[in-house]
Amino acid sequence: MILIDGKKEAANLREELKKEVSQLKTKYNKVPSLTVILIGDLTPSQIYVRNKEKSAKEVGLKSEVIKYPDRVEETTILNKIHELNKDETVSGILVQLPLPRHINKKKVIEAIIPEKDVDGFHPMNVGNLSSGYESSVPCTPLGCYLLIKKVEPNLSGKKAVVIGRSNLNGKPMTQLLLKENCTVTITHSKTKDLKGECLKGDIVVAAVGIPELVKGDWIKKDSIVIDVGINKTEKGIVGDVAFEEVSKIAKAITPVPGGVGPMTIACLLKNTIECFKRLQS
Ligand code: NAP
């Protein structure tokens, strides 16, 4: 059984990105830069943003965090985004989610120009991804995709089952697998016989948010299992996959923590660099 080491893969990716940033600096005499807007004082968001900033600096990117109090007006945020859109020194813009209730998430996502949308949430990027064109791809599914490709470089003809259809994870994951010529089944809370669907998968990606939903007898022998879930339980953080049981059946599996999570931030840095390159051309 292959234990897919997301920490190691993320460190390797950061190392590659660091080299790329150095080459870009030589070529353009500037480095990609990421601006993160953080609203409010939710602890998990603060931790994510701190980690993003630290990783960005590690690979040589410029990074800035702009903080606003919880009660900031929506127009203040939209105006700041418009300003950053025009700022030639900014390559990527990210507004940390979740937002306070009085701020319209759709308006915020659509305010960021697609060229600087490092999260890949703008409808233009979503459309480009589903049309098979170049686009920013949401960081977590991009990380899952890179991990799957490490285990199995040729995915053509494989049967993939994605559990969850969120815009953040399930849907873009499906598009990435489809682009690789997988036959993809996307499942959700209304799916009948989820176990039966999972049993058909050469690849199973679980992005649900239910602790240890996917059991050992849901998984085909020699499948690749990617666990996106991060669930706080009495026994600590667990994924959407019952790791002990499934790891006895699967060919390869990501642990939680230490699987998909570390890849997410590394992919954000990758997306920032891609945005920078597209803006230069
Ligand atoms: P979400 O927006 O809540 O979506 C969950 C999806 O799971 C929905 O499509 C839902 O179906 C489906 N679902 C719910 N119950 C189900 C069931 N019993 N059987 C089958 N499908 C079911 O969640 P998300 O934002 O995609 O996040 C999913 C998990 O990933 C969470 O644990 C989150 O913390 C974690 N996460 C991890 C990372 C990372 O970096 N590792 C990043 C983001 C999120 P419906 O559409 O029918 O409601």
Side-chain angles (χ1 to χ4, degrees):
M1 195 270 301
I2 303 167
L3 182 66
I4 305 171
D5 186 343
K7 264 192 189 166
K8 192 176 113 207
E9 294 301 338
N12 291 345
L13 178 56
R14 285 197 303 274
E15 208 44 53
E16 278 173 34
L17 297 175
K18 195 172 171 180
K19 284 186 196 137
E20 193 174 2
V21 171
S22 153
Q23 286 161 1
L24 290 170
K25 191 174 177 185
T26 309
K27 186 167 176 188
Y28 296 106
N29 200 24
K30 56 184 176 181
V31 294
S33 95
L34 173 67
T35 300
V36 177
I37 295 180
L38 175 63
I39 307 166
D41 50 15
L42 264 183
T43 313
S45 294
Q46 284 179 330
I47 295 171
Y48 289 142
V49 169
R50 212 178 305 136
N51 288 341
K52 284 169 184 173
E53 206 182 8
K54 188 172 155 260
S55 302
K57 291 205 168 124
E58 218 177 281
V59 304
L61 300 183
K62 261 176 72 186
S63 131
E64 186 192 13
V65 180
I66 304 175
K67 292 183 182 167
Y68 291 98
D70 203 38
R71 299 174 74 171
V72 64
E73 286 194 24
E74 185 181 276
T75 47
T76 308
I77 300 301
L78 295 176
N79 288 338
K80 178 46 88 180
I81 293 173
H82 296 317
E83 193 188 299
L84 294 169
N85 283 340
K86 288 189 213 127
D87 186 339
E88 285 185 5
T89 67
V90 173
S91 338
I93 306 167
L94 180 152
V95 180
Q96 183 64 44
L97 302 178
L99 299 173
R101 277 202 184 163
H102 66 283
I103 297 181
N104 184 319
K105 186 168 105 179
K106 186 166 180 284
K107 269 195 198 168
V108 167
I109 287 173
E110 291 181 6
I112 300 170
I113 55 168
E115 293 82 353
K116 296 191 180 186
D117 168 33
V118 283
D119 260 337
F121 294 160
H122 191 286
M124 181 86 91
N125 280 319
V126 176
N128 279 339
L129 178 63
S130 68
S131 301
Y133 302 142
E134 197 175 293
S135 68
S136 278
V137 178
C139 305
T140 302
L142 180 58
C144 295
Y145 165 80
L146 295 175
L147 292 178
I148 296 168
K149 290 279 281 182
K150 281 279 169 192
V151 180
E152 183 60 69
N154 182 8
L155 299 177
S156 187
K158 302 276 180 208
K159 177 103 175 79
V161 179
V162 178
I163 319 176
R165 57 174 163 182
S166 69
N167 293 336
L168 180 68
N169 290 308
K171 283 182 193 152
M173 189 70 242
T174 301
Q175 296 298 346
L176 288 169
L177 291 165
L178 206 51
K179 234 175 151 177
E180 288 289 323
N181 298 319
C182 289
T183 303
V184 191
T185 300
I186 182 158
T187 65
H188 45 77
S189 68
K190 307 291 183 291
T191 296
K192 290 179 183 153
D193 191 18
L194 184 60
K195 174 181 170 181
E197 295 299 339
C198 288
L199 273 167
K200 295 178 200 156
D202 301 308
I203 298 156
V204 175
V205 180
V208 189
I210 300 180
E212 301 181 328
L213 172 75
V214 179
K215 308 288 187 247
D217 62 353
W218 289 31
I219 293 297
K220 194 165 83 170
K221 198 170 173 295
D222 288 341
S223 55
I224 300 171
V225 179
I226 304 293
D227 191 350
V228 181
I230 300 176
N231 307 295
K232 266 191 196 162
T233 67
E234 278 174 4
K235 61 176 182 181
I237 301 283
V238 302
D240 292 341
V241 174
F243 182 85
E244 288 301 322
E245 294 174 21
V246 173
S247 57
K248 291 192 181 105
I249 316 283
K251 174 169 87 177
I253 185 168
T254 56
V256 176
V260 173
M263 285 298 281
T264 298
I265 293 185
C267 286
L268 170 68
L269 310 179
K270 182 173 168 58
N271 280 352
T272 306
I273 294 169
E274 294 303 323
C275 284
F276 173 86
K277 289 195 287 190
R278 282 198 287 269
L279 286 164
Q280 308 313 305
S281 53

